[in-house]
Amino acid sequence: MELLVIKDKRIDYDGSAIRSHWAYRNFGILGDSLVVFRGRCDVKVEEMVDIEDLRQRKEIKSDDMIHYIIEVFWHPDVLLASVLQKLFIARLCELFSERGVKVERRGDDIYVGDKKLSISIATVSPVSIKIHIGINVTSRGVPQDVKAIGLQELGIDPEEFMEESGRILVEEFLKVRKDSMKVRWVL
Amino acid sequence: MELLVIKDKRIDYDGSAIRSHWAYRNFGILGDSLVVFRGRCDVKVEEMVDIEDLRQRKEIKSDDMIHYIIEVFWHPDVLLASVLQKLFIARLCELFSERGVKVERRGDDIYVGDKKLSISIATVSPVSIKIHIGINVTSRGVPQDVKAIGLQELGIDPEEFMEESGRILVEEFLKVRKDSMKVRWVL
Amino acid sequence: MELLVIKDKRIDYDGSAIRSHWAYRNFGILGDSLVVFRGRCDVKVEEMVDIEDLRQRKEIKSDDMIHYIIEVFWHPDVLLASVLQKLFIARLCELFSERGVKVERRGDDIYVGDKKLSISIATVSPVSIKIHIGINVTSRGVPQDVKAIGLQELGIDPEEFMEESGRILVEEFLKVRKDSMKVRWVL
Amino acid sequence: MELLVIKDKRIDYDGSAIRSHWAYRNFGILGDSLVVFRGRCDVKVEEMVDIEDLRQRKEIKSDDMIHYIIEVFWHPDVLLASVLQKLFIARLCELFSERGVKVERRGDDIYVGDKKLSISIATVSPVSIKIHIGINVTSRGVPQDVKAIGLQELGIDPEEFMEESGRILVEEFLKVRKDSMKVRWVL
Amino acid sequence: MELLVIKDKRIDYDGSAIRSHWAYRNFGILGDSLVVFRGRCDVKVEEMVDIEDLRQRKEIKSDDMIHYIIEVFWHPDVLLASVLQKLFIARLCELFSERGVKVERRGDDIYVGDKKLSISIATVSPVSIKIHIGINVTSRGVPQDVKAIGLQELGIDPEEFMEESGRILVEEFLKVRKDSMKVRWVL
Amino acid sequence: MELLVIKDKRIDYDGSAIRSHWAYRNFGILGDSLVVFRGRCDVKVEEMVDIEDLRQRKEIKSDDMIHYIIEVFWHPDVLLASVLQKLFIARLCELFSERGVKVERRGDDIYVGDKKLSISIATVSPVSIKIHIGINVTSRGVPQDVKAIGLQELGIDPEEFMEESGRILVEEFLKVRKDSMKVRWVL
């Protein structure tokens, strides 16, 4: 899994990065990848993936977020996509914990007390597994009915966090992949 | 996913419970299941699944453990098995955290400081995904080269822990499964 | 597999219900489902799934039909879709037989003598198996080159048939699924 | 799907024919196949596939049966195996019906009134789908706690039935396979 | 795998033939197929499959080519698509060799010295594996930055080559498929 | 795909190396691998994979061979195994050709005139694809009914050939894998 952390420019997230081969089309990265970037978030209705959001006509917005786009070229299984997403979220929570920030994972959301720190979606394309995670840098621009919080309110430097979180998510995936190849099957 | 917590008797774990349909053969539970039980652990060489352990001729032993045997009837994909295992371990760590016990997840192991609290393996049978997790109740009977710790040293009541941990792991799986069915696929 | 029988309103079938997540988008039903409803049938060309029909520029029409929309969240295998469709059609034929109506199954069609009682299609979306079955309530509105018959000509009450047929198709699926989990694999 | 009907000799069924490549090893038939033969039935415990039978220590016996061994080289999915088995049983019931014999399908069993006419199992090997169906020629040799019936009691000539039933099961499979390749997938 | 060699008319290739069911929609061929035809090549941007070509805004053009469109109804695995494509290209190279024409395979391209003889792409649809191979009849119309060669420069009669190459590719596939069904799986 | 060429010792091939995780168990190589080694060949009946050989009670023997054991951790699909095997054989033939040795590929066999140079088998374990290729160093020890030839008769240095052939097979696989990840899927 190749890691690309983009710090020299901002990239806004409108939902289209969830499509297959986004990392290859835009950055020439072939194969499993994690691209970390920073920018606004405003998901267009036609790019929304969570049908529950669509049914409730939710807005998915934030003025400043760290975005993680993961693509894994494996058989496109929505269950695997969903489990992998939760594991990545759990890993991010562990990282906050290690930094002394008390967070709580609720499924694929990260909360600080009753304030929402993140958004996430996991799905499949016909050739890969795709996951998006977004972590608020500030709570500005988040829909008014959502109590939100951002990294800055938590005293975390976004640029440095992009580097470290990107690295540990890739490590987690490589560990998972490695373990899967060293076990014999059972009867 | 059906949950069975066995508290009225002890069942020793020799590794054979990792085989497919163990819950159905022994308890008549059909389909996805989590069986939680308590007993000694002494994995026979011929039942060892981790080839790394086999290569290093490791002993897998403990006098008293809580065991979790998970079976998911889904396409037998070792990557899914490995990811799901890590998520379950992460969820157990969150539970310890909620109880004020500081633990650390290292891949599929749970540590309290430098002491090992658990063992785990994840693999596939030709029809299902199988995971075993074992948590020491005490550190007695663990191989001498392993620094171990158990629930009792942590002040946790094993019986009550069996119930709660079983329940939250099933909840986690159901959430994961549910999420996987409410997302549209992407281009 | 959740069953929803809609009797308080009519829903016309234009083919779009064959798309994935239709039951979730419209009725909030998550996971495997069978939705039974009643309404006109007029499949738009762009929604036609059977390429043979497209090649022959067939019309798929009827003024009043009972519709069954099945979605199974399993690996999207067209062979499984096709086999499951035939089994559901066979089960419906058995139901007619139990009621003393002599019908004949020809692949995925139900005939009463030389008169066609039903239409059906089975396919996959990237995340699920989808099947549509339509049973004429009357033969009105059916393309002129098709000799058709409907439930009313057979003396069957459509509303009551919707309930019973829906129930037995779900039972059939659950039996099939259950059986698949209680057999060991072979060498 | 190649059809082989063996009428010049008897072959007893002890359960081992359910293993993969049985038709190739014994008759040189490569690929999808249906082999129809006649002989005693006495399934050895170590060949039993239905774990429910194993748990209840059932005997699977009959003095004279027509046996169908089906192998399909497709991705080894137990759900597909179970659905295909039920469809084949339903097709056999339709054949009895066409011959004026009133039978009833209960899952994968065929009954004449309260008397059992058949046995069946469906499972997977690591490379194929395998189904066994056995139809009593007489009710002799069937375990005493089972009320059984055979083709002879129904006035059906076994030899002729082997030919016709073999042919229609192959036709059914070919129709199912053909249909699966002429539908476009949906969004 | 059905073979259709179209010699009585020219068909231009604009890339749309790479879509699923093209052979069925246009020629009524159901199931695995190889269609060989001759015509211009000018792939529209919206039909381009190789994202590398898209990124480099390459033109894919030739005035006169033999085209091979292969569709295999198997689980849509891009790795299988890519391997099968290379094998077909290698088989074509062997054919040239047998005819005394010295060619070199570079991945999925065929070269004569430093001149390019062919283009090719392999991918999946949600229901099948699709491969296109194009062999220049002449080097006319090929983009100016590509040094190209055609069958005519090599003294090969295109019409006769269409027949023979079509036949040997089908033979290769049938051999591959047959071999896959005569091996037992291993532990 | 990791390459290991073993030149400092001989390893005899009795067929057991075709089992899953052989490279990991014996050399600690985790994941996709190609191990090239040299030694006698005498496949034990219980390790034979080709059922045709078993049926004909063929002997598979040679006094001195170069062996290639390939393992790919991908979904265990016998068709993919068979195609990949043929591609590797074709690639080896191309290598002989580049060295001026005229060989002919017949399916998965390499011939020099009417003399057989190689043996090969491809199959699946429940977690991987496994391929064995054996190339005679000399024709000694080959079953008497087989006209054989070896590298030494062809003037090829076995040690040097092990290195180069190992390297080009790994390159071929990496190219195939890379190409599979740079194509968009089609409708």
Side-chain angles (χ1 to χ4, degrees):
Chain A
M1 176 173 276
E2 192 172 334
L3 172 64
L4 175 65
V5 181
I6 300 169
K7 300 208 306 202
D8 55 350
K9 64 169 174 178
R10 298 287 171 103
I11 300 175
D12 293 336
Y13 181 76
D14 64 1
S16 59
I18 200 70
R19 295 186 181 184
S20 61
H21 292 110
W22 175 81
Y24 183 53
R25 284 176 192 263
N26 288 277
F27 309 105
I29 300 176
L30 204 58
D32 300 346
S33 64
L34 167 54
V35 181
V36 187
F37 58 97
R38 186 175 170 184
R40 299 178 60 85
C41 176
D42 190 354
V43 181
K44 290 185 284 186
V45 170
E46 64 269 27
E47 300 287 358
M48 283 192 182
V49 167
D50 189 327
I51 301 170
E52 198 173 350
D53 294 343
L54 278 168
R55 296 185 76 219
Q56 300 176 7
R57 298 173 190 284
K58 277 199 189 159
E59 279 186 315
I60 304 176
K61 280 188 178 179
S62 179
D63 277 4
D64 191 359
M65 271 190 152
I66 298 177
H67 300 280
Y68 305 79
I69 290 287
I70 295 129
E71 180 157 29
V72 175
F73 286 86
W74 193 250
H75 288 241
D77 176 354
V78 282
L79 185 58
L80 175 55
S82 179
V83 182
L84 188 57
Q85 174 203 35
K86 268 73 179 178
L87 178 60
F88 280 158
I89 298 292
R91 189 69 194 88
L92 288 171
C93 288
E94 291 168 354
L95 180 61
F96 284 114
S97 222
E98 290 160 23
R99 287 162 169 256
V101 178
K102 204 173 152 52
V103 299
E104 186 193 346
R105 181 172 70 88
R106 301 187 194 159
D108 57 358
D109 287 325
I110 306 173
Y111 277 83
V112 180
D114 61 347
K115 292 179 179 163
K116 204 162 178 278
L117 180 61
S118 69
I119 58 172
S120 183
I121 197 72
T123 188
V124 295
S125 81
V127 293
S128 59
I129 284 164
K130 291 277 325 209
I131 299 171
H132 171 250
I133 302 170
I135 295 183
N136 293 321
V137 174
T138 79
S139 56
R140 281 192 302 276
V142 168
Q144 289 193 324
D145 57 329
V146 178
K147 288 185 71 172
I149 195 169
L151 291 177
Q152 286 177 345
E153 285 98 323
L154 297 171
I156 294 174
D157 173 48
E159 303 291 307
E160 177 265 337
F161 190 80
M162 289 168 76
E163 288 285 356
E164 187 181 9
S165 58
R167 191 174 45 73
I168 62 155
L169 290 185
V170 169
E171 275 170 16
E172 186 71 35
F173 182 76
L174 294 182
K175 165 73 173 156
V176 156
R177 181 80 183 103
K178 188 183 153 193
D179 282 1
S180 76
M181 292 186 297
K182 65 171 198 172
V183 284
R184 68 168 185 82
W185 54 278
V186 292
L187 292 176
Chain B
M1 177 173 275
E2 192 172 334
L3 173 64
L4 174 66
V5 181
I6 300 170
K7 300 209 304 200
D8 55 350
K9 64 169 174 178
R10 299 286 171 104
I11 300 176
D12 293 336
Y13 181 75
D14 64 1
S16 59
I18 200 70
R19 295 187 180 183
S20 62
H21 291 111
W22 175 81
Y24 183 53
R25 283 177 193 264
N26 288 277
F27 309 105
I29 301 176
L30 203 59
D32 299 347
S33 64
L34 167 55
V35 181
V36 187
F37 58 97
R38 186 175 171 183
R40 298 178 62 85
C41 176
D42 191 354
V43 180
K44 290 185 285 185
V45 170
E46 65 268 27
E47 301 287 358
M48 282 192 183
V49 167
D50 189 327
I51 300 171
E52 198 173 351
D53 294 342
L54 279 168
R55 296 185 76 219
Q56 300 176 4
R57 299 175 189 283
K58 278 199 189 159
E59 280 187 314
I60 304 176
K61 280 189 178 179
S62 180
D63 277 5
D64 190 359
M65 271 191 152
I66 299 177
H67 300 280
Y68 305 79
I69 290 286
I70 295 129
E71 181 158 29
V72 175
F73 286 86
W74 193 249
H75 288 241
D77 175 353
V78 282
L79 185 58
L80 176 54
S82 179
V83 182
L84 188 57
Q85 174 203 34
K86 269 75 179 177
L87 178 61
F88 280 158
I89 298 292
R91 188 69 193 89
L92 287 172
C93 288
E94 291 167 354
L95 180 60
F96 282 114
S97 223
E98 290 161 24
R99 287 163 170 256
V101 178
K102 204 173 153 52
V103 298
E104 186 192 347
R105 180 171 70 88
R106 300 186 194 161
D108 57 358
D109 287 326
I110 306 173
Y111 277 83
V112 180
D114 61 347
K115 291 180 180 162
K116 204 162 178 278
L117 180 61
S118 69
I119 57 172
S120 183
I121 197 71
T123 188
V124 296
S125 81
V127 294
S128 59
I129 284 164
K130 291 279 324 213
I131 299 171
H132 171 250
I133 302 169
I135 295 183
N136 293 320
V137 173
T138 80
S139 56
R140 280 192 301 277
V142 169
Q144 288 192 323
D145 57 330
V146 178
K147 287 185 70 171
I149 195 170
L151 292 178
Q152 285 178 345
E153 285 96 324
L154 298 170
I156 293 175
D157 173 49
E159 303 291 307
E160 178 266 337
F161 190 80
M162 290 169 75
E163 288 284 356
E164 188 181 9
S165 58
R167 189 173 47 72
I168 61 155
L169 291 185
V170 168
E171 274 171 16
E172 186 72 33
F173 181 76
L174 295 181
K175 166 71 173 158
V176 157
R177 181 82 183 100
K178 188 182 153 193
D179 282 1
S180 76
M181 293 186 297
K182 65 172 199 172
V183 283
R184 68 168 185 83
W185 53 279
V186 292
L187 291 176
Chain C
M1 177 173 275
E2 192 171 335
L3 173 65
L4 174 66
V5 181
I6 300 169
K7 300 209 304 202
D8 55 350
K9 63 170 175 177
R10 298 287 171 103
I11 299 175
D12 293 337
Y13 180 76
D14 64 2
S16 59
I18 200 70
R19 295 186 181 184
S20 62
H21 292 111
W22 175 81
Y24 183 53
R25 284 177 192 265
N26 289 276
F27 309 106
I29 300 175
L30 203 59
D32 299 346
S33 65
L34 167 55
V35 181
V36 187
F37 58 97
R38 187 174 170 184
R40 300 177 59 86
C41 176
D42 191 354
V43 180
K44 289 185 284 184
V45 170
E46 65 268 28
E47 300 287 358
M48 282 192 183
V49 167
D50 189 329
I51 300 170
E52 198 173 352
D53 293 344
L54 279 168
R55 296 184 76 218
Q56 300 176 6
R57 298 174 189 284
K58 276 196 190 164
E59 281 187 314
I60 304 176
K61 281 188 178 180
S62 179
D63 278 4
D64 190 1
M65 272 191 151
I66 298 177
H67 300 279
Y68 305 79
I69 290 286
I70 295 129
E71 182 158 28
V72 175
F73 285 86
W74 193 250
H75 287 240
D77 174 354
V78 282
L79 186 58
L80 175 55
S82 179
V83 181
L84 187 58
Q85 173 202 37
K86 269 73 179 178
L87 178 61
F88 280 158
I89 298 292
R91 188 70 193 88
L92 288 172
C93 288
E94 291 167 355
L95 180 61
F96 284 114
S97 224
E98 290 160 25
R99 287 162 170 255
V101 179
K102 204 174 155 51
V103 298
E104 186 192 346
R105 180 172 70 89
R106 300 186 194 161
D108 58 358
D109 288 325
I110 306 173
Y111 278 82
V112 180
D114 60 347
K115 291 179 180 161
K116 204 162 178 278
L117 180 61
S118 69
I119 58 172
S120 182
I121 198 71
T123 189
V124 296
S125 81
V127 293
S128 60
I129 284 165
K130 291 278 325 211
I131 299 171
H132 170 250
I133 302 170
I135 295 183
N136 293 320
V137 173
T138 80
S139 56
R140 279 192 305 276
V142 168
Q144 288 193 325
D145 57 328
V146 178
K147 287 185 70 171
I149 195 169
L151 291 178
Q152 285 179 344
E153 285 98 324
L154 297 171
I156 293 175
D157 173 48
E159 303 291 308
E160 176 267 335
F161 189 80
M162 289 167 76
E163 288 284 358
E164 188 181 8
S165 58
R167 190 174 46 71
I168 61 154
L169 290 185
V170 169
E171 274 170 15
E172 186 72 33
F173 182 77
L174 295 181
K175 165 73 174 157
V176 157
R177 181 82 182 101
K178 187 182 152 193
D179 282 2
S180 76
M181 293 186 297
K182 65 171 198 173
V183 284
R184 68 167 185 85
W185 54 279
V186 293
L187 292 176
Chain D
M1 177 173 275
E2 192 172 334
L3 173 64
L4 174 66
V5 181
I6 300 169
K7 301 211 304 203
D8 56 350
K9 63 169 175 178
R10 298 287 171 103
I11 300 175
D12 293 336
Y13 181 76
D14 64 1
S16 58
I18 200 71
R19 294 187 181 184
S20 62
H21 292 111
W22 175 81
Y24 183 53
R25 284 176 192 264
N26 288 277
F27 309 105
I29 300 175
L30 203 59
D32 299 346
S33 65
L34 167 55
V35 181
V36 187
F37 58 97
R38 185 174 170 182
R40 301 177 59 85
C41 176
D42 190 354
V43 180
K44 289 184 284 186
V45 170
E46 64 268 28
E47 300 287 358
M48 281 192 184
V49 167
D50 188 328
I51 300 170
E52 197 173 351
D53 293 345
L54 278 168
R55 296 186 76 219
Q56 300 176 6
R57 299 174 189 284
K58 276 197 189 162
E59 280 187 314
I60 304 176
K61 280 189 179 179
S62 179
D63 277 4
D64 191 0
M65 272 191 151
I66 298 177
H67 300 280
Y68 305 79
I69 291 286
I70 295 129
E71 181 158 29
V72 175
F73 286 86
W74 193 250
H75 288 241
D77 174 354
V78 283
L79 185 58
L80 175 55
S82 179
V83 182
L84 188 57
Q85 173 202 36
K86 268 74 179 178
L87 178 61
F88 280 158
I89 298 292
R91 188 70 193 88
L92 288 172
C93 288
E94 290 168 354
L95 180 61
F96 283 114
S97 222
E98 290 160 24
R99 287 161 170 256
V101 178
K102 203 172 154 51
V103 299
E104 186 192 346
R105 180 172 70 88
R106 300 186 195 161
D108 58 358
D109 288 325
I110 306 173
Y111 278 82
V112 180
D114 60 347
K115 290 179 180 163
K116 204 161 177 279
L117 180 62
S118 69
I119 57 172
S120 182
I121 197 72
T123 188
V124 295
S125 81
V127 293
S128 59
I129 284 164
K130 291 277 325 211
I131 299 170
H132 170 250
I133 302 170
I135 295 183
N136 294 320
V137 174
T138 79
S139 55
R140 280 192 302 276
V142 169
Q144 287 193 325
D145 58 329
V146 178
K147 287 185 71 172
I149 195 169
L151 292 178
Q152 286 178 344
E153 285 98 323
L154 297 171
I156 293 175
D157 173 47
E159 303 291 307
E160 176 267 336
F161 189 80
M162 289 167 76
E163 288 284 356
E164 189 182 8
S165 58
R167 191 174 45 71
I168 61 154
L169 290 185
V170 169
E171 275 171 15
E172 186 72 33
F173 182 76
L174 295 181
K175 165 72 174 158
V176 157
R177 181 80 183 103
K178 188 182 151 193
D179 282 2
S180 76
M181 293 186 297
K182 65 171 198 173
V183 283
R184 68 167 185 84
W185 54 279
V186 293
L187 292 176
Chain E
M1 178 173 275
E2 191 172 336
L3 173 64
L4 175 67
V5 181
I6 299 170
K7 301 210 305 202
D8 56 350
K9 63 168 176 179
R10 298 286 171 102
I11 300 175
D12 293 336
Y13 180 76
D14 64 1
S16 59
I18 201 70
R19 295 186 181 184
S20 62
H21 292 111
W22 175 82
Y24 183 52
R25 284 176 192 263
N26 288 276
F27 309 105
I29 300 176
L30 204 58
D32 299 347
S33 65
L34 167 54
V35 181
V36 187
F37 57 97
R38 186 174 170 184
R40 299 177 59 85
C41 176
D42 191 354
V43 180
K44 290 185 284 185
V45 170
E46 64 268 28
E47 301 287 357
M48 281 192 184
V49 167
D50 189 328
I51 300 170
E52 198 173 350
D53 294 343
L54 278 168
R55 296 185 76 219
Q56 301 177 5
R57 299 176 189 281
K58 277 197 189 162
E59 279 187 314
I60 304 176
K61 280 188 178 178
S62 180
D63 277 6
D64 190 359
M65 271 190 151
I66 299 177
H67 300 279
Y68 305 79
I69 290 286
I70 295 129
E71 182 158 27
V72 175
F73 286 86
W74 193 251
H75 288 240
D77 176 353
V78 282
L79 185 58
L80 175 55
S82 178
V83 182
L84 188 57
Q85 173 203 34
K86 269 74 179 177
L87 178 60
F88 280 157
I89 298 291
R91 188 69 193 89
L92 288 172
C93 288
E94 291 167 354
L95 180 60
F96 283 114
S97 224
E98 290 161 24
R99 286 161 170 254
V101 178
K102 204 173 152 51
V103 299
E104 187 193 345
R105 181 171 69 88
R106 300 186 195 160
D108 57 358
D109 288 325
I110 306 173
Y111 277 83
V112 180
D114 61 347
K115 291 179 180 164
K116 204 162 178 277
L117 181 61
S118 69
I119 57 172
S120 182
I121 197 70
T123 189
V124 295
S125 81
V127 293
S128 59
I129 284 163
K130 291 279 324 212
I131 299 171
H132 171 250
I133 302 169
I135 295 183
N136 293 321
V137 174
T138 80
S139 56
R140 281 193 301 276
V142 169
Q144 287 192 323
D145 57 329
V146 178
K147 287 185 70 171
I149 195 169
L151 292 177
Q152 286 179 344
E153 285 99 322
L154 297 169
I156 293 175
D157 174 48
E159 303 290 307
E160 177 266 336
F161 189 80
M162 290 169 75
E163 287 285 356
E164 188 181 9
S165 57
R167 190 174 46 71
I168 61 154
L169 291 185
V170 169
E171 274 171 16
E172 186 72 34
F173 182 77
L174 295 181
K175 167 71 174 157
V176 157
R177 180 81 183 101
K178 188 183 152 192
D179 282 2
S180 75
M181 293 185 297
K182 65 171 198 173
V183 284
R184 68 168 184 82
W185 54 278
V186 293
L187 290 176
Chain F
M1 177 173 275
E2 191 171 335
L3 173 65
L4 175 66
V5 181
I6 300 169
K7 299 209 305 203
D8 55 350
K9 63 170 175 177
R10 298 289 172 101
I11 300 175
D12 293 336
Y13 181 76
D14 64 1
S16 59
I18 200 70
R19 295 186 181 184
S20 61
H21 292 110
W22 175 81
Y24 183 53
R25 285 176 191 264
N26 288 276
F27 309 106
I29 301 175
L30 202 59
D32 299 348
S33 64
L34 167 54
V35 181
V36 187
F37 58 97
R38 186 174 170 183
R40 299 178 60 86
C41 176
D42 191 353
V43 181
K44 289 185 285 185
V45 170
E46 64 270 27
E47 301 287 358
M48 282 193 183
V49 167
D50 189 328
I51 300 170
E52 197 172 352
D53 294 343
L54 278 169
R55 296 185 75 219
Q56 300 176 7
R57 298 174 189 283
K58 276 197 189 161
E59 280 186 315
I60 304 176
K61 281 188 177 179
S62 180
D63 277 4
D64 191 0
M65 271 190 150
I66 298 176
H67 300 280
Y68 305 79
I69 290 287
I70 295 129
E71 181 157 29
V72 176
F73 286 86
W74 193 251
H75 288 240
D77 175 353
V78 282
L79 185 58
L80 175 55
S82 179
V83 182
L84 188 57
Q85 174 203 35
K86 269 74 179 177
L87 178 60
F88 280 157
I89 298 292
R91 188 69 193 88
L92 288 172
C93 288
E94 291 167 354
L95 180 60
F96 284 114
S97 223
E98 291 161 23
R99 287 163 169 253
V101 178
K102 204 174 152 52
V103 299
E104 186 193 345
R105 180 173 69 88
R106 301 185 193 160
D108 56 359
D109 288 324
I110 306 173
Y111 278 83
V112 180
D114 60 347
K115 292 178 179 163
K116 203 163 178 279
L117 180 61
S118 69
I119 58 172
S120 184
I121 198 70
T123 188
V124 295
S125 81
V127 293
S128 59
I129 284 165
K130 291 278 324 210
I131 299 171
H132 171 249
I133 301 170
I135 295 182
N136 293 321
V137 173
T138 79
S139 56
R140 280 192 303 275
V142 168
Q144 288 194 324
D145 57 329
V146 178
K147 287 184 71 171
I149 195 169
L151 291 177
Q152 287 179 344
E153 285 97 323
L154 298 170
I156 293 175
D157 173 49
E159 302 291 306
E160 177 266 336
F161 189 81
M162 289 168 76
E163 287 286 355
E164 187 181 9
S165 58
R167 191 175 45 72
I168 62 154
L169 290 185
V170 169
E171 275 171 15
E172 186 71 34
F173 182 76
L174 295 181
K175 165 73 174 157
V176 157
R177 181 80 183 102
K178 187 183 153 192
D179 282 2
S180 76
M181 294 186 297
K182 65 171 198 173
V183 283
R184 68 169 185 82
W185 54 278
V186 292
L187 292 176

